[in-house]
Protein backbone atom coordinates (compact mmCIF):
# COMPACT_ATOMS: atom_id res chain seq x y z
CA UNK A 1 0.00 0.00 0.00
CA UNK A 2 3.03 2.29 0.08
CA UNK A 3 4.46 3.05 -3.36
CA UNK A 4 7.74 4.64 -2.23
CA UNK A 5 8.70 1.68 -0.04
CA UNK A 6 8.08 -1.00 -2.66
CA UNK A 7 11.45 -0.73 -4.43
CA UNK A 8 13.44 -1.00 -1.21
CA UNK A 9 11.18 -3.77 0.08
CA UNK A 10 11.57 -5.77 -3.14
CA UNK A 11 15.36 -5.43 -3.12
CA UNK A 12 15.62 -6.59 0.50
CA UNK A 13 13.21 -9.47 -0.13
CA UNK A 14 15.20 -10.64 -3.15
CA UNK A 15 18.41 -10.69 -1.11
CA UNK A 16 16.59 -12.65 1.58
CA UNK A 17 15.25 -15.26 -0.86
CA UNK A 18 18.71 -15.68 -2.40
CA UNK A 19 20.10 -16.40 1.06
CA UNK A 20 17.57 -19.18 1.74
CA UNK A 21 19.65 -21.95 0.24
CA UNK A 22 17.53 -24.68 1.85
CA UNK A 23 14.16 -23.37 0.63
CA UNK A 24 12.21 -25.82 -1.53
CA UNK A 25 10.10 -23.05 -3.05
CA UNK A 26 8.74 -19.56 -2.46
CA UNK A 27 5.12 -18.44 -2.75
CA UNK A 28 4.59 -14.82 -3.79
CA UNK A 29 1.25 -13.19 -2.96
CA UNK A 30 0.59 -9.72 -4.32
CA UNK A 31 -2.65 -8.08 -3.30
CA UNK A 32 -4.52 -4.93 -4.15
CA UNK A 33 -8.17 -5.04 -5.21
CA UNK A 34 -7.46 -8.60 -6.39
CA UNK A 35 -5.08 -11.24 -5.03
CA UNK A 36 -2.60 -13.33 -7.00
CA UNK A 37 -0.83 -16.36 -5.51
CA UNK A 38 2.14 -17.83 -7.41
CA UNK A 39 4.61 -20.52 -6.38
CA UNK A 40 8.23 -20.51 -7.58
CA UNK A 41 10.96 -23.15 -7.43
CA UNK A 42 14.61 -22.01 -7.22
CA UNK A 43 14.97 -22.51 -10.97
CA UNK A 44 12.20 -19.94 -11.57
CA UNK A 45 13.46 -17.34 -9.08
CA UNK A 46 14.42 -14.90 -11.88
CA UNK A 47 10.73 -14.71 -12.83
CA UNK A 48 9.81 -14.28 -9.15
CA UNK A 49 12.28 -11.42 -8.77
CA UNK A 50 10.89 -9.77 -11.89
CA UNK A 51 7.39 -9.96 -10.40
CA UNK A 52 8.64 -8.41 -7.16
CA UNK A 53 10.38 -5.51 -8.92
CA UNK A 54 7.46 -4.79 -11.28
CA UNK A 55 4.76 -4.75 -8.60
CA UNK A 56 2.97 -1.40 -8.28
CA UNK A 57 0.85 0.06 -5.50
CA UNK A 58 -2.63 0.58 -6.89
CA UNK A 59 -6.26 -0.23 -6.20
CA UNK A 60 -7.77 -1.27 -2.88
CA UNK A 61 -6.24 -3.53 -0.21
CA UNK A 62 -7.46 -7.12 0.16
CA UNK A 63 -5.05 -8.04 2.96
CA UNK A 64 -7.21 -10.63 4.76
CA UNK A 65 -8.16 -12.35 1.51
CA UNK A 66 -4.46 -12.52 0.58
CA UNK A 67 -3.53 -14.24 3.84
CA UNK A 68 -6.51 -16.60 3.59
CA UNK A 69 -5.64 -17.63 0.03
CA UNK A 70 -2.01 -18.24 0.95
CA UNK A 71 -3.03 -20.41 3.92
CA UNK A 72 -5.34 -22.44 1.69
CA UNK A 73 -2.53 -22.94 -0.85
CA UNK A 74 -0.01 -23.91 1.85
CA UNK A 75 -2.26 -26.32 3.76
CA UNK A 76 -1.19 -29.34 1.71
CA UNK A 77 2.53 -28.56 1.73
CA UNK A 78 5.07 -30.28 3.97
CA UNK A 79 8.00 -28.72 5.77
CA UNK A 80 8.54 -25.45 7.57
CA UNK A 81 6.32 -22.61 6.35
CA UNK A 82 7.16 -18.98 6.98
CA UNK A 83 5.05 -16.03 5.84
CA UNK A 84 6.62 -12.57 5.58
CA UNK A 85 3.93 -9.93 5.39
CA UNK A 86 4.57 -6.38 4.13
CA UNK A 87 1.65 -4.15 5.02
CA UNK A 88 0.39 -1.15 6.94
CA UNK A 89 -2.17 -3.54 8.45
CA UNK A 90 -5.23 -1.95 6.89
CA UNK A 91 -7.80 -3.77 4.77
CA UNK A 92 -10.38 -2.07 2.58
CA UNK A 93 -12.03 -4.70 0.41
CA UNK A 94 -11.62 -8.31 1.63
CA UNK A 95 -14.55 -10.69 1.77
CA UNK A 96 -12.73 -12.52 4.59
CA UNK A 97 -13.04 -10.73 7.91
CA UNK A 98 -10.28 -10.41 10.50
CA UNK A 99 -11.81 -12.97 12.86
CA UNK A 100 -12.06 -15.68 10.20
CA UNK A 101 -8.55 -14.99 8.94
CA UNK A 102 -7.16 -15.19 12.50
CA UNK A 103 -8.89 -18.52 13.05
CA UNK A 104 -7.33 -19.87 9.85
CA UNK A 105 -3.90 -18.81 11.09
CA UNK A 106 -4.39 -20.59 14.42
CA UNK A 107 -5.44 -23.74 12.56
CA UNK A 108 -2.40 -23.59 10.27
CA UNK A 109 1.26 -24.49 10.85
CA UNK A 110 2.51 -21.24 9.33
CA UNK A 111 4.77 -18.83 11.23
CA UNK A 112 4.18 -15.14 10.41
CA UNK A 113 6.64 -12.28 10.52
CA UNK A 114 4.99 -8.92 9.91
CA UNK A 115 6.89 -5.93 8.50
CA UNK A 116 4.71 -2.91 9.11
CA UNK A 117 4.81 0.48 7.44
CA UNK A 118 2.71 2.80 9.58
CA UNK A 119 4.11 6.24 8.74
CA UNK A 120 1.06 7.26 6.71
CA UNK A 121 -1.39 6.28 9.46
CA UNK A 122 -2.41 8.41 12.42
CA UNK A 123 -4.45 8.13 15.59
CA UNK A 124 -6.78 5.18 15.97
CA UNK A 125 -5.94 3.79 12.52
CA UNK A 126 -2.25 3.54 13.37
CA UNK A 127 -2.91 1.96 16.77
CA UNK A 128 -5.37 -0.59 15.38
CA UNK A 129 -3.06 -1.56 12.51
CA UNK A 130 -0.10 -2.07 14.83
CA UNK A 131 -2.26 -4.08 17.21
CA UNK A 132 -3.37 -6.41 14.42
CA UNK A 133 0.10 -6.83 12.92
CA UNK A 134 1.43 -7.68 16.39
CA UNK A 135 -1.39 -10.18 16.87
CA UNK A 136 -0.80 -11.93 13.54
CA UNK A 137 2.82 -12.52 14.50
CA UNK A 138 2.15 -13.45 18.13
CA UNK A 139 -0.49 -16.09 17.49
CA UNK A 140 1.85 -17.97 15.11
CA UNK A 141 5.07 -17.73 17.13
CA UNK A 142 6.54 -15.06 14.85
CA UNK A 143 7.45 -11.43 15.45
CA UNK A 144 6.39 -7.96 14.27
CA UNK A 145 8.88 -5.41 12.94
CA UNK A 146 8.53 -1.74 12.03
CA UNK A 147 11.57 -0.75 9.95
CA UNK A 148 12.92 2.75 9.68
CA UNK A 149 14.86 2.79 6.41
CA UNK A 150 16.51 0.29 4.04
CA UNK A 151 19.31 -0.73 6.43
CA UNK A 152 16.72 -1.74 9.01
CA UNK A 153 15.10 -4.06 6.44
CA UNK A 154 18.37 -5.91 5.86
CA UNK A 155 18.88 -6.26 9.61
CA UNK A 156 15.35 -7.60 10.02
CA UNK A 157 15.85 -10.18 7.29
CA UNK A 158 19.15 -11.31 8.79
CA UNK A 159 17.43 -11.82 12.13
CA UNK A 160 14.53 -13.74 10.55
CA UNK A 161 16.95 -15.96 8.63
CA UNK A 162 18.84 -16.77 11.85
CA UNK A 163 15.60 -17.64 13.60
CA UNK A 164 14.40 -19.89 10.79
CA UNK A 165 17.64 -21.87 10.92
CA UNK A 166 17.54 -22.25 14.72
CA UNK A 167 13.92 -23.26 15.32
CA UNK A 168 13.00 -26.37 17.25
CA UNK A 169 9.97 -28.59 16.77
CA UNK A 170 8.54 -29.97 20.00
CA UNK A 171 5.73 -32.48 20.30
CA UNK A 172 3.72 -34.14 23.03
CA UNK A 173 0.58 -36.22 23.47
CA UNK A 174 -2.20 -34.34 25.22
CA UNK A 175 -4.17 -36.06 27.98
CA UNK A 176 -7.22 -33.82 27.54
CA UNK A 177 -10.27 -34.94 25.63
CA UNK A 178 -10.56 -34.47 21.87
CA UNK A 179 -13.26 -31.81 21.84
CA UNK A 180 -11.87 -29.43 19.20
CA UNK A 181 -11.52 -26.58 21.70
CA UNK A 182 -8.66 -24.09 21.96
CA UNK A 183 -5.84 -25.10 24.32
CA UNK A 184 -3.42 -22.51 25.68
CA UNK A 185 0.25 -23.39 25.47
CA UNK A 186 3.22 -22.05 27.46
CA UNK A 187 6.76 -23.12 26.48
CA UNK A 188 9.60 -22.23 28.85
CA UNK A 189 13.35 -22.85 29.01
CA UNK A 190 14.23 -23.83 32.61
CA UNK A 191 17.82 -25.03 32.24
CA UNK A 192 20.35 -22.88 34.17
CA UNK A 193 22.29 -22.59 30.91
CA UNK A 194 19.26 -20.92 29.34
CA UNK A 195 19.02 -18.17 31.95
CA UNK A 196 17.90 -14.96 30.25
CA UNK A 197 16.80 -16.75 27.08
CA UNK A 198 13.43 -15.87 25.60
CA UNK A 199 11.27 -18.61 24.11
CA UNK A 200 8.74 -17.63 21.47
CA UNK A 201 6.10 -20.13 20.41
CA UNK A 202 2.48 -20.37 19.43
CA UNK A 203 0.18 -19.42 22.33
CA UNK A 204 -1.99 -22.51 21.83
CA UNK A 205 -3.63 -24.97 19.48
CA UNK A 206 -6.98 -26.52 18.67
CA UNK A 207 -7.53 -29.98 20.11
CA UNK A 208 -8.45 -32.70 17.63
CA UNK A 209 -12.02 -33.86 17.17
CA UNK A 210 -12.83 -37.58 17.33
Amino acid sequence: SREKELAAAATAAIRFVNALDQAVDVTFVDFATEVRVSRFSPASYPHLFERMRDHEAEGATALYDAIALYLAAASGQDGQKVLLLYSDGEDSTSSTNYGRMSEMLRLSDVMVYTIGYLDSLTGNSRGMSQLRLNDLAHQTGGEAFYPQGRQALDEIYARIKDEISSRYTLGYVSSTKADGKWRKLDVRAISPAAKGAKVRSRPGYFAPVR
Side-chain angles (χ1 to χ4, degrees):
S1 62
R2 298 291 304 279
E3 180 72 47
K4 65 182 181 180
E5 277 101 6
L6 281 178
T11 299
I14 288 169
R15 283 198 291 265
F16 176 74
V17 171
N18 276 324
L20 295 176
D21 51 7
Q22 295 183 348
V24 175
D25 54 47
V26 171
T27 299
F28 181 59
V29 184
D30 55 305
F31 56 96
T33 305
E34 298 181 348
V35 180
R36 294 191 300 172
V37 181
S38 304
R39 191 172 172 185
F40 298 86
S41 66
S44 60
Y45 281 176
H47 182 49
L48 164 64
F49 298 156
E50 183 181 357
R51 282 275 303 277
M52 287 181 172
R53 292 190 181 100
D54 291 344
H55 186 63
E56 298 179 354
E58 58 184 3
T61 306
L63 171 60
Y64 305 156
D65 282 349
I67 296 174
L69 286 172
Y70 165 72
L71 293 174
S75 62
Q77 299 178 19
D78 296 324
Q80 184 175 186
K81 304 166 193 173
V82 179
L83 171 61
L84 275 65
L85 172 65
Y86 292 92
S87 178
D88 62 7
E90 293 201 310
D91 187 295
S92 61
T93 190
S94 286
S95 59
T96 306
N97 61 37
Y98 184 82
R100 174 54 183 158
M101 182 269 297
S102 296
E103 182 181 20
M104 292 177 68
L105 271 178
R106 292 196 299 270
L107 286 166
S108 77
D109 58 353
V110 174
M111 174 181 278
V112 179
Y113 290 93
T114 58
I115 301 176
Y117 294 98
L118 307 180
D119 292 347
S120 65
L121 305 180
T122 59
N124 291 338
S125 294
R126 184 185 181 99
M128 180 59 70
S129 291
Q130 185 165 356
L131 180 66
R132 290 187 169 178
L133 290 174
N134 289 344
D135 183 56
L136 292 178
H138 169 71
Q139 64 184 311
T140 63
E143 191 168 359
F145 299 95
Y146 301 94
Q148 300 294 321
R150 175 180 292 185
Q151 183 176 353
L153 268 178
D154 290 330
E155 293 171 354
I156 288 169
Y157 274 128
R159 179 170 171 178
I160 293 173
K161 183 178 182 298
D162 287 343
E163 287 196 6
I164 292 174
S165 62
S166 61
R167 288 178 64 191
Y168 287 86
T169 298
L170 305 177
Y172 72 99
V173 178
S174 174
S175 61
T176 58
K177 59 183 179 180
D179 56 8
K181 293 183 178 180
W182 177 254
R183 299 280 190 270
K184 291 184 178 180
L185 187 65
D186 185 16
V187 181
R188 301 177 183 177
I190 61 175
S191 168
K195 185 177 180 180
K198 295 181 179 180
V199 178
R200 192 169 64 249
S201 67
R202 284 176 170 264
Y205 64 96
F206 285 104
V209 179
R210 295 193 185 280

